[in-house]
Amino acid sequence: MNTLTIISQEDVLEALRLWHGGEVNRWPLAHLKFHLYHEDGSLSSPALANDLPAEQNRLILNRGLHLLKSRAPEAEDLLRERFEHRRDVLALANRLNVSESSLYYRQRQAIQQLTEILTQLEGNVGHEWQEKMLSRLSPASYHQLVGVDSAKEKLFEVMLDKNNSLIISIDGIGGIGKTALADFITRQIIKNNQFDDVLWITAKHTHLSTLGRLQIESGRPALTFQMLIDRLGNQLEITQENHIQQARQIKQYLKEKRCLVVIDNLETVADYRTLLPEIKSLQNPSKFLLTSRIRLLQESGVFSVSLSELALHDAITMMRNEARLSGFTALSDAQDEDLEKIYNVVGGNPLALKLIVGQLRVHSLPRVLDRFGQKPKNINQTEGIFEYIYQEIWEGLGDTSKATLLALTQAGDSGFSFDHLVDISGLEEEDISPCLEELIQSSLVDLSGSIFDRRYRLHRLSEVFLLRMFEN
C-alpha cells in the first residue's frame, strides 16, 4: 500500500504453513487489505467479521498464487503441493527428480515471487482503501494546525504503541481545537496505513459560517452504546435485525482487526458513564480516540491529552492564516499590536478567534471587540459562542462552584495557588476542594505549575463569560 506496508518472505512462509489453520497469536498477513477488493478494483463486502483468520489467510494466498500461476506455473504448483496438499519434501523432490536441497532452493525462489506479487496487490488497493477511510471523515475545518506540536507528538506516540494506551482522550474546553487535532491525527494514520480500519463517529455537530456565526445542532441525545453500534455497523456494513448479534459481530471484527475508532464530541458525563465500560470490552487490538470537554482524570486505562488555549504568537499566526486563506488582506497584513488587542479580549481559543476573523469582514475592530467586552451594548449579539462553550456546564454548577470561578477571574495568567484561592474566595477548604475537582474535570479551570506547586487559572474567554454572568 505504501512504504510502511511491509510484507516479508518470512511472513509469507509462515502464512503458507498456516494454510489449514492453527492456534497462533499473530496471523502474519492479517494486516493486508487487498482481499477486501475484487480483481477489477471494486469493493467487496467488508463484513468479514464472521470469516475465520484461517479463511482470510487462504483467501490472501489464493489471490497471490493465482497470479503466480500465470507468471511461473512451476512455482505455483510447488507451493500448492507443499502447503495446500501437504506433500512431503522427499516425495515431492523424487517426483520432480531433484535433490532436497534443490527443492528448498526452488521453494525459496517461489516464496520470493509470491511475496513480490502480494506486495504489488497490496500497493494497487492503497488509494481505494485510503479514499474509503477518508470518506468517513467530514471535510477538515482547518488548513493548518498551530500551537499543538507537543500534543501531536504525544498522540502519535501513544497511538502507535500496540501494547498500551488503548483508549485515548483529547479533552479541553469547547472551541479549543479537539476535533481538528483528532482529524489531523486520523488523516495521518490513514495516509500511513497504520491501522486495518478507521471509523469516525460524531456525537454532536457545530458549524461555523464565514461571517462568524455559530450554528449548533441542539436537542441531540447522549450517545448510547446501541447508537454507537448502529453507526459502526453502518460504516462496516454489518447490519442485523438482532442488535445483540450485530454487537457480537462488530466486537469480533474489532478484536480480530487493529482498528481505530474515533468518537468525537462526547460532551456529557452521561456519554462517558454509558460508553466507557462498553468501549473497554471492544478494545485490544483496536484503539479508541475520544474528544470531550470532560477530563477523565479518575478513569483507569485512559490516556488523556488536555489542550490549552493558544499562546499569543500562535494565536496571531492562526488569525493571519485564516485571513490569508479567505483573501482578507486587511487583516492578514494588520500590525501585530492590532491582533494582540483581539488576543487580550478573547484569549487563545481557536473557535473564538475564528469568530472574530469572520465578524471583522463586516464590522470594525473596535465594534467587534466591544461585543466581546465585559459591557456589551447587546449581550445577545455574541451569546451563541458562550452558549456553545459554557451555558450547559454553567447551569449544572452549584453555588460554591460558581463562587470559585468568580474568585478565579482575579487570578490572571499566573493563576492562584490552592491556599490563595481559599483566601480570595472566602470558602472553606473542604468545600472548595471538590468544587475545584469538578471544574477541572469540566475543563473550566486550567492547571499549570508542577506537582509541588499547582496553579489554577481561567481562559480569557472564560473570564469574559463569567463577568457577563455575574454582572447580569
Side-chain angles (χ1 to χ4, degrees), residues 215-247:
Q215 300 169 342
I216 307 164
E217 285 190 18
S218 58
R220 293 170 61 92
L223 184 65
T224 65
F225 182 63
Q226 187 54 57
M227 291 167 62
L228 174 63
I229 289 296
D230 287 341
R231 295 181 193 179
L232 290 176
N234 287 336
Q235 292 186 29
L236 292 172
E237 298 179 25
I238 298 176
T239 56
Q240 296 286 343
E241 291 185 5
N242 186 317
H243 286 163
I244 296 177
Q245 186 176 0
Q246 182 189 35

Side-chain angles (χ1 to χ4, degrees), residues 323-343:
R324 188 177 299 111
L325 288 168
S326 62
F328 189 8
T329 56
L331 184 62
S332 63
D333 297 338
Q335 298 295 316
D336 281 356
E337 51 264 33
D338 292 328
L339 298 181
E340 188 173 347
K341 294 176 183 177
I342 299 174
Y343 184 84

Side-chain angles (χ1 to χ4, degrees), residues 51-169:
D51 289 352
L52 295 175
E55 294 173 351
Q56 295 184 24
N57 188 60
R58 285 191 291 273
L59 177 61
I60 291 169
L61 292 173
N62 273 318
R63 285 281 297 274
L65 288 169
H66 176 72
L67 279 179
L68 181 60
K69 184 175 182 178
S70 65
R71 301 178 186 181
E74 299 86 358
E76 186 265 352
D77 179 66
L78 188 153
L79 293 180
R80 286 199 182 274
E81 287 294 307
R82 282 284 291 119
F83 300 102
E84 182 180 5
H85 305 305
R86 296 176 171 177
R87 300 301 185 202
D88 179 76
V89 173
L90 181 58
L92 187 56
N94 289 334
R95 196 195 89 176
L96 298 175
N97 196 26
V98 297
S99 65
E100 288 188 47
S101 60
S102 294
L103 182 70
Y104 278 119
Y105 175 74
R106 292 187 183 186
Q107 178 177 298
R108 287 194 297 273
Q109 285 187 314
I111 290 174
Q112 179 181 352
Q113 291 173 293
L114 180 58
T115 302
E116 292 171 356
I117 288 173
L118 294 177
T119 301
Q120 179 184 359
L121 286 170
E122 187 70 0
N124 290 341
V125 303
H127 179 72
E128 288 86 352
W129 179 84
Q130 290 182 356
E131 287 298 313
K132 180 183 177 185
M133 298 301 105
L134 290 172
S135 70
R136 295 171 177 172
L137 279 59
S138 298
S141 62
Y142 59 91
H143 297 279
Q144 179 183 356
L145 294 182
V146 297
V148 291
D149 289 345
S150 177
K152 284 195 293 187
E153 182 178 347
K154 189 183 302 182
L155 283 166
F156 277 126
E157 180 181 348
V158 298
M159 292 296 288
L160 300 183
D161 184 345
K162 294 184 178 181
N163 300 316
N164 299 297
S165 305
L166 297 173
I167 300 178
I168 302 157
S169 173

